[in-house]
Structures are given as C-alpha cells and as structure tokens.
Amino acid sequence: MIKGIAASSGVGVGQAVVMTAREVPQGSVAASKAGSAADGGSPPGSDEKQRFRAGREIALSYYQELVQRVRTAASEEEAEIFEGHIEILGGEDLEEGTYVLLETDTISAEDAVRSFCEETAQEFEELESEYFQQRASDIRDIGSRLAEAIHFGSIADLGDIPEESVIVAEELSPSATARLDLGKVVAIVTEKGGRTSHAAILARSLAIPCVTGVPGVLAQVPAGQLVAVDGDSGEVWPNIDPRNDQQALAGFRQRASSSHQLKEQRREWSKNTPAQTADGRAVLLSANIGTAAEAEAAREIGAAGSGLVRSEFFFMRVKEFPSRKQQAEEYRKICAALAPHTVTIRLLDCGADKPLPYAQQGPEDNPYLGERGIRFLMNRSEQLRNQVEAISEVAAEGYAVKLMIPMVISANEVQVVREAAHGSVSIGIMVETPASVIALDRLLPEVEFVSIGTNDLTQYILAVDRGNAGVAPLYQEFHPAVLAAIDHVVNHSHAAGVPVGVCGDMASRPASAVALLALGVDQLSAGIDAIPDLKAALRKVKSQDLENLARQLLSAPDADTARKAAEKLVQDVGRPWE
C-alpha cells in the first residue's frame, strides 16, 4: 500500500491506465541500415520510406476513427477539423517532402516527418493570414502523431480507455482530462498535486475517488494492473493479483459498491432538498462546471444553475480556436441542461497551468503573472469578439446567461468586452487580483455582478503559489488579509447595489462556505460533488450563528483562530441522506 493526499472521497477498483508521454527518440539511422544503390543494396532511404508508408496507414486509420467518435460525441464542425488532418496525411506534399529528406540525408522516417512538418508549420506562422497561422499547430500535431505511429506501430489514444479505468499520471492537466472519457474512469491517482490541483477539483466535481501527491506512483503501478484507490484515506493498493488476492479484491469491490450506492442516495437527497439555513433563509447554491455533461450532473444533484462555466475546457477539446457558431452551440447545450436557472460563462481563461497548444504563447518566466485571462483575449481581438458574440447570441435566445471576465485589473478591460457584446447580456468580473480589490470602486459602475475567485486571490494576496508543496502551509484562505479583502469587496459591492458570488474552491467546503455567507456573500458556486455536504451543513446553521461568526472572523488574530470558529459551526453535521 502507498499513501498520498485524500483529494476526492470514495473507493474505486479498476485497471491502471498509466498516462505518460510516448517519447519518439531523435537520431539518425546508421549508414549500414540506410543502404545505397552503389553497393547493390536498396536505394537510399527505401527502408525508411516503407516505414513511413506503414506509419501513415496507421495514422490515417486513427484519424478516421477519431472523426466518427467526434461526430457522434460533439458536432460535425469539430469532426471536420480531423477530416482536414486526414487530407494532409494523405496528401502529396507530406509524402514528397518526407521522401526528399530521406533521399538526401541518412535520417529516420520519424525525424524526416517531424522535420518537414516543423518547417511547414514555421512557413505558415510567417504568413499574415491568421487562418494559416492557426494551421501551424495542426501541422505539428500531425507530425507528432505520424512519428509516433511509425516508431511504435500505434497511436496512444486518451479517449480509448477500458471500462473501470484507474487513471495514473504524474500530473493530470486540464487539456489531458478534456480528451478523456471520464464516464469510464473509476478513480484517479497522481504523483504531483494536492487538494487544489485541477485533477482533484475535477474528481470532486464528478464524484470520482482521487488520491494526489503519491510519491513514485508511476514506478510502482504498471499499466494494466488492478489497482484499488481509497479517496477517503488517501491509500492506494497497486498490483492486486486477482488470483492470489481474491479476498482482498472482493473486499475492495464491496467497498466500492457500497461507496457508489451511498453516493446515489446522497445525490437523490440533495436533488430533492432546498439549500437553506435551519431558520429557512434561502441560499443561492450553484455549481462550477466545464461541459454540458457536467451541467446535467449539476442539475441531477440539485444545483441552482452555474456560477462558473470554465469555457477553457471546450477550447482544450478542439485542435484550433473554435468559431462563434461552435461556441454558441456548446453554451446552448449547457444553458438548456440547467434551464431555467442562470448560467455564468467565464471568458477563456488559459495560460499559466492551462495552456492551449495551438495558441502560440511563448514561454514566460512567471506565467501566473503573465498573459492569461482577459489579457490573453485582449491580445487576440478576433477570439475575444467570437466568444463574446457567441455568449450574447445564446442570451438573445432567452436563456438566463451571464458573461464573466477573468483576471480584471482595470475598467478598460470591461469596456472592451461590453463593446463586443450584443443585446442585454449581463457582464460581471472575477475579483481575483489585489488590483481588482483596491480599485473596486472604479470597476463597480461598469458591471452588473461580481464573483470572487478565492483560489487566485488568496495566492496573490499572500504571495504563495498554491501549487508549490514547499509553501503549502502558508496558503491560508482564512488569513486575516484574505478575509479583510472579501469583506471589503462585499461591503463596497452591496453599497453600489451589485451582488457578490464566490466561485473559488473556498465555496466548496462547509466551514469556508459558511464563513463566506457570514461575510455577506450572495451566491456560492461550488464543485458539483460538494453540493450535498453544503446543503447538509446549511441546515444546521441559523442566521444568528452567521452574524456571530462574522464578528469572530474579522477580529481573529490569525488564520487558525478564524478557521476553527467556522469549523465549530459545522461540526457534527452528519449524513442526512443515510
């Protein structure tokens, strides 16, 4: 047994799917293998040309299957992207360019393919047309997949995983999860990360057991082996032998079954239970989501709409910037799933730990302080306009939808977005920078609502990287400076008649959620799976309790004192669904 951080509750048992990059080695082919017409051998590069042709057939088959899957699961427009890849793969330019390199240099088919595709991609990037500049990432991706097919005889497909899979990875990025079939995932284990990592947040939102921060897990869990994961204790049992460990395996499966049954009872209770305090005060409790499937899960667990739609998850599932039409179609599905409740769509928030492969962002010394959020879109006016118009289009159709701007530091950023909007779509900002807190009075006249992103706000106020284990103890959401900032935002917003929500991870835990309500927050938007626990906690709290807690929070000398005051209020909540 190996132990990590319990990041998402429940027990899962399944086959390990180890997600590691398949490295295709660089290097030339030995001259003895290359052959030459002069010494009676094969013509120069003939063996490598044959390997190229074989690999191309594998790659074509892969993309043809991918087209069918995307057409069924997403849309015709998304499928057309990969049909374009098929045309490039089967085209004369790729074949002729690769053959020229194989005839003049003693290199492998893998290197020839990548060299030709990289040169072509660079030529595309030098063109003035944004369309061709965006095609550069497609060319590079095709070269990588084709090189993989030549070298390994197959292409690893993250979407093609068996039923009851346990995902094992060093770190699970948002772009990787966007391509996974999460309906087949019974547990997630990562070597890096903590409770606030993207893998953990995603797992909690979908009620998938998850353990993070497991040292050396990749070396200890071979692909295909049975693995048991306990997301409550943080324990992982690798290499379960179904023949010699029958009793232990039966025990794990029973625990997994009981865990699943309990979660179903919990979901049903939450769906039929209103979010309100013990004395009947209604609380607007919505969900953080990223896809239409998550919107349906949020509806089934009793969420009142969504206070945060992470639109970047849609951008990560495609190979190029989606069009206005594609985006509107996706947002429409989400809004329809949650109607008549309100849906708040955050503008594309990529960069830092959520890069877009096709976005052509250069390396940054400190990406968390770099080109991300609204800064990214301000530098790409066409993409900003497409997304704002897509959201406006859905709002014009009668759906209750709002638009939210991330990483705001000035009123000008809001004004640029409003100029691109059509109709009466409601526009708000995420308060997640010290600048947006300090300059709030200048921002409030420009917006209809405010949402506090406590994850980034906490790390920026405290100058603590929330992904750095070395300073993890310093990341304190109950720190007096963080609580003072939240109190400042609530008071000034309410004075201006602007409602305040919280969509950060702080809204997903009972103690910190009641602390936010005590400070006067109007809406909580939490991870999907957190909603039943929050409803249970609210039913134990009275309005007077919240007033008393507010005084304790704002007078607490340190984070521990404030946190314990909030935790005391929600202790012994129990499990009303059992």
Side-chain angles (χ1 to χ4, degrees):
M1 185 271 289
I2 48 181
K3 192 170 176 62
I5 300 168
S8 180
S9 66
V11 177
V13 181
Q15 178 180 330
V17 175
V18 180
M19 291 177 56
T20 55
R22 298 177 88 186
E23 294 292 338
V24 179
Q26 299 272 358
S28 59
V29 175
S32 61
K33 293 184 179 180
S36 70
D39 62 12
S42 302
S46 61
D47 290 344
E48 294 305 302
K49 290 178 183 178
Q50 184 176 347
R51 294 182 68 234
F52 163 81
R53 290 190 294 270
R56 183 169 60 174
E57 289 303 313
I58 293 168
L60 285 169
S61 177
Y62 166 81
Y63 278 111
Q64 286 162 357
E65 292 176 6
L66 189 58
V67 164
Q68 295 303 318
R69 186 192 310 156
V70 171
R71 181 175 287 125
T72 300
S75 69
E76 181 63 37
E77 285 192 61
E78 290 183 44
E80 288 176 359
I81 295 171
F82 298 105
E83 287 178 342
H85 288 202
I86 291 173
E87 290 180 10
I88 295 171
L89 267 172
E92 292 182 358
D93 288 348
L94 176 59
E95 180 177 301
E96 291 177 358
T98 301
Y99 279 11
V100 168
L101 290 171
L102 291 174
E103 290 168 358
T104 56
D105 289 311
T106 310
I107 64 173
S108 68
E110 295 94 326
D111 284 357
V113 162
R114 289 184 295 202
S115 177
F116 173 78
C117 288
E118 178 59 31
E119 183 179 343
T120 304
Q122 290 179 10
E123 290 175 358
F124 276 26
E125 288 174 343
E126 292 172 1
L127 298 174
E128 294 184 2
S129 168
E130 184 177 351
Y131 174 84
F132 283 105
Q133 290 174 356
Q134 292 176 6
R135 296 291 78 70
S137 62
D138 288 353
I139 298 296
R140 288 192 176 96
D141 185 58
I142 289 169
S144 297
R145 298 289 75 76
L146 179 51
E148 182 182 356
I150 294 169
H151 189 77
F152 293 104
S154 65
I155 295 178
D157 187 355
L158 295 178
D160 186 19
I161 60 176
E163 297 286 346
E164 298 187 347
S165 290
V166 174
I167 302 300
V168 181
E170 180 180 22
E171 199 166 17
L172 202 55
S173 69
S175 58
T177 58
R179 300 196 302 275
L180 277 171
D181 184 350
L182 292 168
K184 297 179 179 179
V185 177
V186 296
I188 296 172
V189 182
T190 65
E191 194 162 297
K192 295 182 178 179
R195 279 190 55 83
T196 59
S197 69
H198 283 287
I201 293 171
L202 173 77
R204 287 195 295 274
S205 72
L206 297 178
I208 297 173
C210 178
V211 177
T212 60
V214 184
V217 68
L218 287 175
Q220 299 180 64
V221 181
Q225 292 293 309
L226 277 176
V227 178
V229 179
D230 189 332
D232 295 297
S233 66
E235 295 172 333
V236 178
W237 288 266
N239 306 325
I240 298 174
D241 188 334
R243 292 169 298 181
N244 299 326
D245 299 328
Q246 291 183 4
Q247 186 173 353
L249 180 58
F252 287 130
R253 291 199 184 282
Q254 178 58 44
R255 289 173 61 192
S257 177
S258 298
S259 173
H260 178 74
Q261 184 178 358
L262 185 60
K263 285 186 176 183
E264 283 300 304
Q265 293 174 353
R266 182 171 171 269
R267 181 194 60 76
E268 192 65 23
W269 175 86
S270 180
K271 182 179 181 180
N272 296 297
T273 301
Q276 62 183 35
T277 61
D279 53 347
R281 171 188 164 186
V283 175
L284 182 54
L285 180 57
S286 55
N288 298 335
I289 62 174
T291 65
E294 288 185 11
E296 293 172 2
R299 180 194 65 212
E300 289 303 307
I301 210 165
S306 173
L308 171 63
V309 175
R310 300 183 178 96
S311 65
E312 59 270 17
F313 274 66
F314 176 56
F315 283 73
M316 290 172 180
R317 295 203 310 272
V318 297
K319 297 294 184 180
E320 62 183 351
F321 283 110
S323 66
R324 167 183 167 173
K325 182 179 179 181
Q326 288 174 299
Q327 291 185 62
E329 182 179 334
E330 177 73 5
Y331 305 148
R332 192 177 294 114
K333 291 177 185 176
I334 291 172
C335 291
L338 288 168
H341 296 296
T342 299
V343 170
T344 303
I345 301 174
R346 180 174 68 187
L347 293 181
L348 175 62
D349 187 16
C350 66
D353 57 344
K354 295 175 289 185
L356 282 182
Y358 51 82
Q360 301 176 18
Q361 282 183 282
E364 296 178 299
D365 289 338
N366 195 334
Y368 282 96
L369 302 180
E371 188 188 42
R372 55 173 302 204
I374 188 60
R375 304 168 184 179
F376 177 91
L377 288 173
M378 292 276 281
N379 290 333
R380 295 163 179 79
S381 57
E382 180 181 353
Q383 304 311 326
L384 172 62
R385 185 172 62 254
N386 281 346
Q387 186 168 28
V388 173
E389 290 180 353
I391 297 171
S392 300
E393 177 182 326
V394 176
E397 294 171 3
Y399 288 106
V401 61
K402 297 180 179 180
L403 182 158
M404 185 161 64
I405 311 171
M407 285 295 288
V408 169
I409 61 172
S410 72
N412 175 63
E413 293 163 333
V414 184
Q415 293 161 0
V416 169
V417 172
R418 195 172 291 281
E419 288 173 4
H422 298 296
S424 57
V425 62
S426 179
I427 296 177
I429 59 170
M430 287 192 73
V431 173
E432 52 189 336
T433 64
S436 58
V437 175
I438 296 168
L440 187 63
D441 288 341
R442 293 174 175 80
L443 296 169
L444 287 171
E446 306 292 335
V447 302
E448 284 76 59
F449 68 96
V450 162
S451 184
I452 304 174
T454 54
N455 296 1
D456 274 333
L457 183 62
T458 300
Q459 76 168 346
Y460 290 140
I461 284 180
L462 302 181
V464 174
D465 180 357
R466 61 191 174 104
N468 185 336
V471 293
L474 299 177
Y475 182 85
Q476 300 169 333
E477 294 170 328
F478 282 94
H479 190 285
V482 176
L483 296 179
I486 294 171
D487 184 58
H488 173 89
V489 172
V490 171
N491 290 336
H492 283 248
S493 297
H494 285 175
V498 175
V500 181
V502 171
C503 59
D505 204 43
M506 198 172 175
S508 293
R509 294 185 296 279
S512 50
V514 298
L516 292 169
L517 292 176
L519 293 174
V521 166
D522 303 296
Q523 177 182 8
L524 300 175
S525 193
I528 297 171
D529 194 50
I531 288 174
D533 292 332
L534 295 177
K535 287 186 176 183
L538 289 173
R539 291 164 64 85
K540 295 290 184 179
V541 177
K542 296 180 180 179
S543 298
Q544 185 61 52
D545 296 329
L546 295 176
E547 292 177 13
N548 294 336
L549 178 60
R551 288 191 289 270
Q552 292 175 284
L553 294 174
L554 296 176
S555 62
D558 52 49
D560 282 344
T561 303
R563 177 178 51 78
K564 288 175 181 177
E567 289 176 344
K568 183 178 180 180
L569 202 57
V570 295
Q571 66 184 1
D572 302 324
V573 168
R575 298 179 174 183
W577 45 84
E578 289 183 341

